[in-house]
C-alpha cells in the first residue's frame, strides 16, 4: 500500500511530462495523463493482489490464487470497467478499472489473511 501511494504521489507531478514523451498532441497527452493518475492509484489494489497471490502460492495454496484471479477478473474487473465506460466514457472506464483493482486487492488481502492464518492481532 505504501509503495502504491509513493508511486501515485510521484505520478501526480510527473504524469504530464511522461505523457509529452509519447505525444505532442494535447488531447492524447491529456488521455495519457489521466491514465497514469488513475491507474497508478489503482495499482495499490493490484500490488495487494500480487503480493497475496505470491504468498498463497508459496504456502501451497495455488487454488485460491486461481479462484481470486478468475472470479476477480470476471466478476469485479471486467464489470467495473464496462460500467465505468458506460457511465463516464474514457475516464469512467479508467475509474471503473481503478475501483475494480482496489476491490480485487482487498478481496485477495482478506482471503490471504484467512487462508494463511494471519489475524493481525499477534504481538511478538
Amino acid at each position: 500500500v505504501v509503495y502504491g501511494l509513493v508511486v501515485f504521489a510521484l505520478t501526480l507531478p510527473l504524469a504530464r511530462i511522461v505523457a509529452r514523451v509519447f505525444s505532442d498532441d494535447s488531447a492524447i497527452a491529456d488521455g495519457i495523463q489521466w491514465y497514469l493518475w488513475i491507474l497508478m492509484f489503482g495499482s495499490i489494489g493490484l500490488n495487494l493482489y500480487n503480493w497475496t497471490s505470491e504468498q498463497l502460492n508459496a504456502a501451497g495454496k495455488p487454488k485460491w490464487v486461481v479462484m481470486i484471479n478468475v472470479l476477480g477478473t470476471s466478476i469485479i474487473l471486467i464489470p467495473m470497467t464496462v460500467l465505468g465506460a458506460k457511465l463516464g466514457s474514457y475516464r469512467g472506464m479508467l475509474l471503473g478499472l481503478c475501483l475494480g483493482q482496489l476491490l480485487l486487492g482487498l478481496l485477495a488481502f482478506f482471503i490471504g489473511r484467512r487462508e494463511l492464518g494471519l489475524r493481525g492481532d499477534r504481538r511478538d
Side-chain angles (χ1 to χ4, degrees):
V1 172
V2 172
Y3 173 77
L5 288 172
V6 168
V7 170
F8 174 68
L10 290 171
T11 302
L12 288 174
L14 298 175
R16 190 68 176 175
I17 296 165
V18 172
R20 287 291 182 186
V21 168
F22 293 100
S23 179
D24 291 330
D25 184 307
S26 179
I28 293 173
D30 285 346
I32 294 169
Q33 181 175 325
W34 279 103
Y35 175 87
L36 291 171
W37 283 341
I38 295 170
L39 290 192
M40 285 303 107
F41 188 74
S43 74
I44 294 168
L46 199 55
N47 289 333
L48 276 174
Y49 161 75
N50 287 334
W51 280 103
T52 302
S53 295
E54 290 175 17
Q55 290 172 338
L56 287 167
N57 276 325
K61 298 183 180 223
K63 290 179 185 176
W64 280 104
V65 176
V66 172
M67 286 178 37
I68 294 167
N69 194 2
V70 171
L71 295 176
T73 300
S74 60
I75 295 174
I76 298 174
L77 288 178
I78 292 172
M80 294 295 292
T81 304
V82 170
L83 180 63
K86 297 267 187 214
L87 296 176
S89 190
Y90 176 70
R91 286 187 201 165
M93 177 192 69
L94 296 177
L95 287 169
L97 181 57
C98 174
L99 183 58
Q101 288 176 335
L102 293 171
L103 290 173
L104 181 58
L106 284 173
L107 174 69
F109 174 76
F110 287 117
I111 289 173
R113 276 180 50 141
R114 187 188 73 220
E115 290 302 310
L116 298 170
L118 304 174
R119 299 284 178 242
D121 56 359
R122 289 186 296 171
R123 296 180 194 221
D124 296 323

